[in-house]
Amino acid sequence: MRKILCVGLTLNIIFTYMGFSKWIGGALGWSLGGPIGAIIGVAVGSMFDAASGREKGLFTDEHETQNRNYRRTVYNTRSGDFEVSLLVLASIVIKADGKQDQRELDYVRQQFVGMYGKERANHAFRLFKNIAKQKHISTREVCLQIRQMMDHPARLQLIHFLFGIAKADGLVTADEEQQINIMAGYLGINALDYESIKAMFYKNSDHAYKVLEIDTSATVEEIKKAYRKMAKKYHPDKVGHLGEAHKKGAEDKFMQVQEAYEQIQKEKGF
């Protein structure tokens, strides 16, 4: 734990030095430790070194190994924790099909501009590009840290955002879908929840039923019950603790549940 606190202090000093305090706002908690902390440390260290004319990274392999031996601590997930988790997972998805499509990169930037404003988004995107350069990121370790420390609604929001990135170039490739599926498993997202979010990005004959997590043979009463359940699960207030920026982002899932229900209403005539 002592090592992790030192890592957190080091990152806070560097964030402040580089002007990152304006967008991170001190709102980082558990993400400064564990594998995510190591990844962010290397990325920020690269930016720090580039600015100072040196090429040495922030962490040695020994530091990274020690940092992975983090202990679970009870923290509330903060906006900054969600943000850096999103950056790390997005970097993995973007590279899943062996290339970095500019449209996907633009989508990440646009989403961050929409959530945080241009200045903060620019800082986040600089960090994102340095994370994406790292060749060896353990999807399992990162996701398990997120699963331990982040609540279920926030993890669902991560999966929704990742599908949005994958779809930004017009098509979710098999490699991208497989990568998101693997992440969902590590994040503790069950199959029904995963298929519900996935269906929001695949418009086929039964996608509305999958969004509501029901079969096409469901009765009117079952459909109404499913709608109430999903509306509650995906309500933007579920991620309100992450701040207004993420609450607004969650509204898209909520609206798609409403649209799915209305589509089924028309089909069933009730």
PDB file of all heavy atoms in Angstrom, residues 199-200 203 207-209 211-212 227 231 251-267:
ATOM      1  N   ALA A 199     -26.960  -5.042 -28.403  1.00  0.00           N
ATOM      2  CA  ALA A 199     -28.112  -4.899 -29.306  1.00  0.00           C
ATOM      3  C   ALA A 199     -28.400  -3.441 -29.639  1.00  0.00           C
ATOM      4  O   ALA A 199     -29.041  -3.149 -30.655  1.00  0.00           O
ATOM      5  CB  ALA A 199     -29.346  -5.536 -28.682  1.00  0.00           C
ATOM      6  N   MET A 200     -27.937  -2.522 -28.800  1.00  0.00           N
ATOM      7  CA  MET A 200     -28.133  -1.109 -29.077  1.00  0.00           C
ATOM      8  C   MET A 200     -27.320  -0.646 -30.278  1.00  0.00           C
ATOM      9  O   MET A 200     -27.571   0.431 -30.823  1.00  0.00           O
ATOM     10  CB  MET A 200     -27.751  -0.277 -27.838  1.00  0.00           C
ATOM     11  CG  MET A 200     -28.624  -0.544 -26.627  1.00  0.00           C
ATOM     12  SD  MET A 200     -28.099   0.406 -25.163  1.00  0.00           S
ATOM     13  CE  MET A 200     -29.233  -0.232 -23.930  1.00  0.00           C
ATOM     14  N   LYS A 203     -28.811  -3.196 -35.285  1.00  0.00           N
ATOM     15  CA  LYS A 203     -30.232  -3.058 -35.564  1.00  0.00           C
ATOM     16  C   LYS A 203     -30.715  -4.213 -36.443  1.00  0.00           C
ATOM     17  O   LYS A 203     -30.610  -4.188 -37.667  1.00  0.00           O
ATOM     18  CB  LYS A 203     -30.512  -1.723 -36.268  1.00  0.00           C
ATOM     19  CG  LYS A 203     -30.052  -0.498 -35.474  1.00  0.00           C
ATOM     20  CD  LYS A 203     -30.765  -0.373 -34.135  1.00  0.00           C
ATOM     21  CE  LYS A 203     -30.347   0.894 -33.413  1.00  0.00           C
ATOM     22  NZ  LYS A 203     -30.981   1.036 -32.089  1.00  0.00           N
ATOM     23  N   HIS A 207     -33.601  -6.910 -32.157  1.00  0.00           N
ATOM     24  CA  HIS A 207     -32.714  -6.148 -31.275  1.00  0.00           C
ATOM     25  C   HIS A 207     -33.474  -5.477 -30.134  1.00  0.00           C
ATOM     26  O   HIS A 207     -32.954  -5.358 -29.018  1.00  0.00           O
ATOM     27  CB  HIS A 207     -31.918  -5.102 -32.076  1.00  0.00           C
ATOM     28  CG  HIS A 207     -32.628  -3.806 -32.287  1.00  0.00           C
ATOM     29  ND1 HIS A 207     -33.532  -3.612 -33.312  1.00  0.00           N
ATOM     30  CD2 HIS A 207     -32.582  -2.637 -31.583  1.00  0.00           C
ATOM     31  CE1 HIS A 207     -34.002  -2.389 -33.238  1.00  0.00           C
ATOM     32  NE2 HIS A 207     -33.452  -1.758 -32.210  1.00  0.00           N
ATOM     33  N   ALA A 208     -34.709  -5.049 -30.377  1.00  0.00           N
ATOM     34  CA  ALA A 208     -35.484  -4.382 -29.334  1.00  0.00           C
ATOM     35  C   ALA A 208     -35.750  -5.328 -28.160  1.00  0.00           C
ATOM     36  O   ALA A 208     -35.727  -4.917 -26.998  1.00  0.00           O
ATOM     37  CB  ALA A 208     -36.802  -3.873 -29.900  1.00  0.00           C
ATOM     38  N   TYR A 209     -35.990  -6.589 -28.469  1.00  0.00           N
ATOM     39  CA  TYR A 209     -36.234  -7.588 -27.418  1.00  0.00           C
ATOM     40  C   TYR A 209     -34.955  -7.860 -26.628  1.00  0.00           C
ATOM     41  O   TYR A 209     -34.993  -8.034 -25.400  1.00  0.00           O
ATOM     42  CB  TYR A 209     -36.764  -8.887 -28.033  1.00  0.00           C
ATOM     43  CG  TYR A 209     -38.134  -8.727 -28.651  1.00  0.00           C
ATOM     44  CD1 TYR A 209     -38.281  -8.331 -29.981  1.00  0.00           C
ATOM     45  CD2 TYR A 209     -39.296  -8.972 -27.913  1.00  0.00           C
ATOM     46  CE1 TYR A 209     -39.533  -8.170 -30.548  1.00  0.00           C
ATOM     47  CE2 TYR A 209     -40.558  -8.819 -28.474  1.00  0.00           C
ATOM     48  CZ  TYR A 209     -40.659  -8.413 -29.799  1.00  0.00           C
ATOM     49  OH  TYR A 209     -41.905  -8.249 -30.353  1.00  0.00           O
ATOM     50  N   VAL A 211     -32.535  -5.721 -26.175  1.00  0.00           N
ATOM     51  CA  VAL A 211     -32.283  -4.547 -25.332  1.00  0.00           C
ATOM     52  C   VAL A 211     -33.039  -4.680 -24.010  1.00  0.00           C
ATOM     53  O   VAL A 211     -32.508  -4.354 -22.942  1.00  0.00           O
ATOM     54  CB  VAL A 211     -32.703  -3.246 -26.060  1.00  0.00           C
ATOM     55  CG1 VAL A 211     -32.710  -2.063 -25.082  1.00  0.00           C
ATOM     56  CG2 VAL A 211     -31.758  -2.954 -27.214  1.00  0.00           C
ATOM     57  N   LEU A 212     -34.276  -5.200 -24.077  1.00  0.00           N
ATOM     58  CA  LEU A 212     -35.088  -5.378 -22.872  1.00  0.00           C
ATOM     59  C   LEU A 212     -34.835  -6.718 -22.185  1.00  0.00           C
ATOM     60  O   LEU A 212     -35.467  -7.018 -21.163  1.00  0.00           O
ATOM     61  CB  LEU A 212     -36.573  -5.246 -23.205  1.00  0.00           C
ATOM     62  CG  LEU A 212     -37.057  -3.883 -23.709  1.00  0.00           C
ATOM     63  CD1 LEU A 212     -38.570  -3.873 -23.852  1.00  0.00           C
ATOM     64  CD2 LEU A 212     -36.614  -2.764 -22.783  1.00  0.00           C
ATOM     65  N   TYR A 227     -39.485  -3.755 -19.245  1.00  0.00           N
ATOM     66  CA  TYR A 227     -39.227  -2.338 -19.497  1.00  0.00           C
ATOM     67  C   TYR A 227     -38.978  -1.583 -18.196  1.00  0.00           C
ATOM     68  O   TYR A 227     -38.034  -0.786 -18.092  1.00  0.00           O
ATOM     69  CB  TYR A 227     -40.405  -1.716 -20.243  1.00  0.00           C
ATOM     70  CG  TYR A 227     -40.349  -0.207 -20.283  1.00  0.00           C
ATOM     71  CD1 TYR A 227     -39.354   0.462 -20.998  1.00  0.00           C
ATOM     72  CD2 TYR A 227     -41.276   0.551 -19.557  1.00  0.00           C
ATOM     73  CE1 TYR A 227     -39.290   1.845 -21.011  1.00  0.00           C
ATOM     74  CE2 TYR A 227     -41.220   1.936 -19.579  1.00  0.00           C
ATOM     75  CZ  TYR A 227     -40.223   2.572 -20.294  1.00  0.00           C
ATOM     76  OH  TYR A 227     -40.155   3.939 -20.287  1.00  0.00           O
ATOM     77  N   ALA A 231     -35.450   0.159 -17.438  1.00  0.00           N
ATOM     78  CA  ALA A 231     -35.462   1.606 -17.259  1.00  0.00           C
ATOM     79  C   ALA A 231     -34.823   1.972 -15.924  1.00  0.00           C
ATOM     80  O   ALA A 231     -34.102   2.977 -15.811  1.00  0.00           O
ATOM     81  CB  ALA A 231     -36.890   2.136 -17.326  1.00  0.00           C
ATOM     82  N   GLU A 251     -27.647   8.850 -20.574  1.00  0.00           N
ATOM     83  CA  GLU A 251     -28.996   9.087 -21.091  1.00  0.00           C
ATOM     84  C   GLU A 251     -29.235   8.360 -22.417  1.00  0.00           C
ATOM     85  O   GLU A 251     -30.366   8.022 -22.742  1.00  0.00           O
ATOM     86  CB  GLU A 251     -29.228  10.585 -21.259  1.00  0.00           C
ATOM     87  CG  GLU A 251     -29.339  11.331 -19.940  1.00  0.00           C
ATOM     88  CD  GLU A 251     -29.453  12.836 -20.109  1.00  0.00           C
ATOM     89  OE1 GLU A 251     -29.384  13.301 -21.280  1.00  0.00           O
ATOM     90  OE2 GLU A 251     -29.614  13.540 -19.099  1.00  0.00           O
ATOM     91  N   ASP A 252     -28.164   8.108 -23.168  1.00  0.00           N
ATOM     92  CA  ASP A 252     -28.319   7.433 -24.451  1.00  0.00           C
ATOM     93  C   ASP A 252     -28.839   6.010 -24.253  1.00  0.00           C
ATOM     94  O   ASP A 252     -29.738   5.566 -24.969  1.00  0.00           O
ATOM     95  CB  ASP A 252     -26.979   7.402 -25.190  1.00  0.00           C
ATOM     96  CG  ASP A 252     -27.115   6.812 -26.587  1.00  0.00           C
ATOM     97  OD1 ASP A 252     -28.041   7.208 -27.313  1.00  0.00           O
ATOM     98  OD2 ASP A 252     -26.307   5.935 -26.949  1.00  0.00           O
ATOM     99  N   LYS A 253     -28.273   5.284 -23.272  1.00  0.00           N
ATOM    100  CA  LYS A 253     -28.754   3.932 -22.976  1.00  0.00           C
ATOM    101  C   LYS A 253     -30.219   3.966 -22.560  1.00  0.00           C
ATOM    102  O   LYS A 253     -31.024   3.145 -22.990  1.00  0.00           O
ATOM    103  CB  LYS A 253     -27.928   3.287 -21.856  1.00  0.00           C
ATOM    104  CG  LYS A 253     -26.511   2.960 -22.202  1.00  0.00           C
ATOM    105  CD  LYS A 253     -25.900   1.905 -21.284  1.00  0.00           C
ATOM    106  CE  LYS A 253     -26.114   2.154 -19.816  1.00  0.00           C
ATOM    107  NZ  LYS A 253     -25.553   3.416 -19.316  1.00  0.00           N
ATOM    108  N   PHE A 254     -30.539   4.917 -21.714  1.00  0.00           N
ATOM    109  CA  PHE A 254     -31.901   5.043 -21.208  1.00  0.00           C
ATOM    110  C   PHE A 254     -32.891   5.295 -22.347  1.00  0.00           C
ATOM    111  O   PHE A 254     -33.973   4.687 -22.402  1.00  0.00           O
ATOM    112  CB  PHE A 254     -31.963   6.182 -20.194  1.00  0.00           C
ATOM    113  CG  PHE A 254     -33.285   6.319 -19.491  1.00  0.00           C
ATOM    114  CD1 PHE A 254     -33.657   5.428 -18.498  1.00  0.00           C
ATOM    115  CD2 PHE A 254     -34.163   7.345 -19.816  1.00  0.00           C
ATOM    116  CE1 PHE A 254     -34.874   5.551 -17.848  1.00  0.00           C
ATOM    117  CE2 PHE A 254     -35.370   7.485 -19.171  1.00  0.00           C
ATOM    118  CZ  PHE A 254     -35.734   6.583 -18.181  1.00  0.00           C
ATOM    119  N   MET A 255     -32.514   6.162 -23.277  1.00  0.00           N
ATOM    120  CA  MET A 255     -33.382   6.473 -24.408  1.00  0.00           C
ATOM    121  C   MET A 255     -33.566   5.272 -25.322  1.00  0.00           C
ATOM    122  O   MET A 255     -34.639   5.056 -25.878  1.00  0.00           O
ATOM    123  CB  MET A 255     -32.807   7.659 -25.193  1.00  0.00           C
ATOM    124  CG  MET A 255     -32.900   8.990 -24.475  1.00  0.00           C
ATOM    125  SD  MET A 255     -34.622   9.455 -24.085  1.00  0.00           S
ATOM    126  CE  MET A 255     -35.312   9.571 -25.745  1.00  0.00           C
ATOM    127  N   GLN A 256     -32.523   4.465 -25.462  1.00  0.00           N
ATOM    128  CA  GLN A 256     -32.631   3.287 -26.321  1.00  0.00           C
ATOM    129  C   GLN A 256     -33.534   2.222 -25.709  1.00  0.00           C
ATOM    130  O   GLN A 256     -34.177   1.459 -26.436  1.00  0.00           O
ATOM    131  CB  GLN A 256     -31.243   2.728 -26.619  1.00  0.00           C
ATOM    132  CG  GLN A 256     -30.433   3.658 -27.515  1.00  0.00           C
ATOM    133  CD  GLN A 256     -29.203   3.005 -28.103  1.00  0.00           C
ATOM    134  OE1 GLN A 256     -29.282   2.017 -28.833  1.00  0.00           O
ATOM    135  NE2 GLN A 256     -28.042   3.553 -27.791  1.00  0.00           N
ATOM    136  N   VAL A 257     -33.594   2.163 -24.401  1.00  0.00           N
ATOM    137  CA  VAL A 257     -34.552   1.279 -23.736  1.00  0.00           C
ATOM    138  C   VAL A 257     -35.975   1.754 -24.044  1.00  0.00           C
ATOM    139  O   VAL A 257     -36.861   0.949 -24.364  1.00  0.00           O
ATOM    140  CB  VAL A 257     -34.308   1.262 -22.208  1.00  0.00           C
ATOM    141  CG1 VAL A 257     -35.485   0.597 -21.479  1.00  0.00           C
ATOM    142  CG2 VAL A 257     -33.019   0.530 -21.890  1.00  0.00           C
ATOM    143  N   GLN A 258     -36.188   3.069 -23.967  1.00  0.00           N
ATOM    144  CA  GLN A 258     -37.502   3.640 -24.278  1.00  0.00           C
ATOM    145  C   GLN A 258     -37.893   3.359 -25.722  1.00  0.00           C
ATOM    146  O   GLN A 258     -39.036   2.964 -26.006  1.00  0.00           O
ATOM    147  CB  GLN A 258     -37.462   5.154 -24.035  1.00  0.00           C
ATOM    148  CG  GLN A 258     -38.761   5.890 -24.329  1.00  0.00           C
ATOM    149  CD  GLN A 258     -39.862   5.535 -23.357  1.00  0.00           C
ATOM    150  OE1 GLN A 258     -39.606   5.365 -22.177  1.00  0.00           O
ATOM    151  NE2 GLN A 258     -41.084   5.411 -23.856  1.00  0.00           N
ATOM    152  N   GLU A 259     -36.947   3.545 -26.652  1.00  0.00           N
ATOM    153  CA  GLU A 259     -37.224   3.303 -28.068  1.00  0.00           C
ATOM    154  C   GLU A 259     -37.523   1.826 -28.331  1.00  0.00           C
ATOM    155  O   GLU A 259     -38.397   1.499 -29.152  1.00  0.00           O
ATOM    156  CB  GLU A 259     -36.036   3.765 -28.908  1.00  0.00           C
ATOM    157  CG  GLU A 259     -35.862   5.276 -28.933  1.00  0.00           C
ATOM    158  CD  GLU A 259     -34.574   5.711 -29.604  1.00  0.00           C
ATOM    159  OE1 GLU A 259     -33.839   4.817 -30.088  1.00  0.00           O
ATOM    160  OE2 GLU A 259     -34.283   6.917 -29.636  1.00  0.00           O
ATOM    161  N   ALA A 260     -36.798   0.941 -27.659  1.00  0.00           N
ATOM    162  CA  ALA A 260     -37.032  -0.490 -27.834  1.00  0.00           C
ATOM    163  C   ALA A 260     -38.436  -0.860 -27.365  1.00  0.00           C
ATOM    164  O   ALA A 260     -39.149  -1.631 -28.031  1.00  0.00           O
ATOM    165  CB  ALA A 260     -35.984  -1.293 -27.062  1.00  0.00           C
ATOM    166  N   TYR A 261     -38.843  -0.308 -26.246  1.00  0.00           N
ATOM    167  CA  TYR A 261     -40.184  -0.582 -25.711  1.00  0.00           C
ATOM    168  C   TYR A 261     -41.260  -0.066 -26.648  1.00  0.00           C
ATOM    169  O   TYR A 261     -42.252  -0.763 -26.930  1.00  0.00           O
ATOM    170  CB  TYR A 261     -40.315   0.067 -24.333  1.00  0.00           C
ATOM    171  CG  TYR A 261     -41.661  -0.152 -23.678  1.00  0.00           C
ATOM    172  CD1 TYR A 261     -42.089  -1.435 -23.334  1.00  0.00           C
ATOM    173  CD2 TYR A 261     -42.502   0.925 -23.396  1.00  0.00           C
ATOM    174  CE1 TYR A 261     -43.323  -1.632 -22.726  1.00  0.00           C
ATOM    175  CE2 TYR A 261     -43.729   0.741 -22.788  1.00  0.00           C
ATOM    176  CZ  TYR A 261     -44.133  -0.545 -22.455  1.00  0.00           C
ATOM    177  OH  TYR A 261     -45.360  -0.743 -21.850  1.00  0.00           O
ATOM    178  N   GLU A 262     -41.083   1.137 -27.165  1.00  0.00           N
ATOM    179  CA  GLU A 262     -42.073   1.706 -28.082  1.00  0.00           C
ATOM    180  C   GLU A 262     -42.166   0.900 -29.374  1.00  0.00           C
ATOM    181  O   GLU A 262     -43.249   0.752 -29.940  1.00  0.00           O
ATOM    182  CB  GLU A 262     -41.706   3.166 -28.379  1.00  0.00           C
ATOM    183  CG  GLU A 262     -41.882   4.085 -27.174  1.00  0.00           C
ATOM    184  CD  GLU A 262     -41.387   5.496 -27.432  1.00  0.00           C
ATOM    185  OE1 GLU A 262     -40.820   5.742 -28.522  1.00  0.00           O
ATOM    186  OE2 GLU A 262     -41.571   6.357 -26.551  1.00  0.00           O
ATOM    187  N   GLN A 263     -41.025   0.383 -29.844  1.00  0.00           N
ATOM    188  CA  GLN A 263     -41.023  -0.438 -31.053  1.00  0.00           C
ATOM    189  C   GLN A 263     -41.836  -1.722 -30.837  1.00  0.00           C
ATOM    190  O   GLN A 263     -42.624  -2.124 -31.686  1.00  0.00           O
ATOM    191  CB  GLN A 263     -39.598  -0.792 -31.458  1.00  0.00           C
ATOM    192  CG  GLN A 263     -39.533  -1.670 -32.700  1.00  0.00           C
ATOM    193  CD  GLN A 263     -38.105  -1.997 -33.111  1.00  0.00           C
ATOM    194  OE1 GLN A 263     -37.199  -1.164 -32.971  1.00  0.00           O
ATOM    195  NE2 GLN A 263     -37.869  -3.205 -33.618  1.00  0.00           N
ATOM    196  N   ILE A 264     -41.620  -2.345 -29.677  1.00  0.00           N
ATOM    197  CA  ILE A 264     -42.347  -3.580 -29.362  1.00  0.00           C
ATOM    198  C   ILE A 264     -43.833  -3.285 -29.168  1.00  0.00           C
ATOM    199  O   ILE A 264     -44.695  -4.082 -29.578  1.00  0.00           O
ATOM    200  CB  ILE A 264     -41.747  -4.245 -28.113  1.00  0.00           C
ATOM    201  CG1 ILE A 264     -40.308  -4.691 -28.399  1.00  0.00           C
ATOM    202  CG2 ILE A 264     -42.590  -5.430 -27.671  1.00  0.00           C
ATOM    203  CD1 ILE A 264     -39.577  -5.229 -27.188  1.00  0.00           C
ATOM    204  N   GLN A 265     -44.150  -2.151 -28.579  1.00  0.00           N
ATOM    205  CA  GLN A 265     -45.554  -1.757 -28.421  1.00  0.00           C
ATOM    206  C   GLN A 265     -46.263  -1.697 -29.770  1.00  0.00           C
ATOM    207  O   GLN A 265     -47.395  -2.186 -29.922  1.00  0.00           O
ATOM    208  CB  GLN A 265     -45.644  -0.379 -27.752  1.00  0.00           C
ATOM    209  CG  GLN A 265     -45.566  -0.386 -26.232  1.00  0.00           C
ATOM    210  CD  GLN A 265     -45.802   0.982 -25.652  1.00  0.00           C
ATOM    211  OE1 GLN A 265     -45.172   1.965 -26.060  1.00  0.00           O
ATOM    212  NE2 GLN A 265     -46.715   1.089 -24.691  1.00  0.00           N
ATOM    213  N   LYS A 266     -45.603  -1.118 -30.761  1.00  0.00           N
ATOM    214  CA  LYS A 266     -46.183  -1.018 -32.099  1.00  0.00           C
ATOM    215  C   LYS A 266     -46.349  -2.404 -32.719  1.00  0.00           C
ATOM    216  O   LYS A 266     -47.368  -2.687 -33.350  1.00  0.00           O
ATOM    217  CB  LYS A 266     -45.313  -0.134 -32.983  1.00  0.00           C
ATOM    218  CG  LYS A 266     -45.313   1.334 -32.572  1.00  0.00           C
ATOM    219  CD  LYS A 266     -44.407   2.142 -33.486  1.00  0.00           C
ATOM    220  CE  LYS A 266     -44.388   3.607 -33.077  1.00  0.00           C
ATOM    221  NZ  LYS A 266     -43.480   4.424 -33.958  1.00  0.00           N
ATOM    222  N   GLU A 267     -45.344  -3.239 -32.539  1.00  0.00           N
ATOM    223  CA  GLU A 267     -45.397  -4.581 -33.118  1.00  0.00           C
ATOM    224  C   GLU A 267     -46.507  -5.415 -32.493  1.00  0.00           C
ATOM    225  O   GLU A 267     -47.213  -6.154 -33.186  1.00  0.00           O
ATOM    226  CB  GLU A 267     -44.053  -5.298 -32.932  1.00  0.00           C
ATOM    227  CG  GLU A 267     -42.921  -4.714 -33.754  1.00  0.00           C
ATOM    228  CD  GLU A 267     -41.605  -5.426 -33.499  1.00  0.00           C
ATOM    229  OE1 GLU A 267     -41.598  -6.432 -32.749  1.00  0.00           O
ATOM    230  OE2 GLU A 267     -40.571  -4.994 -34.047  1.00  0.00           O
TER     231      GLU A 267
END
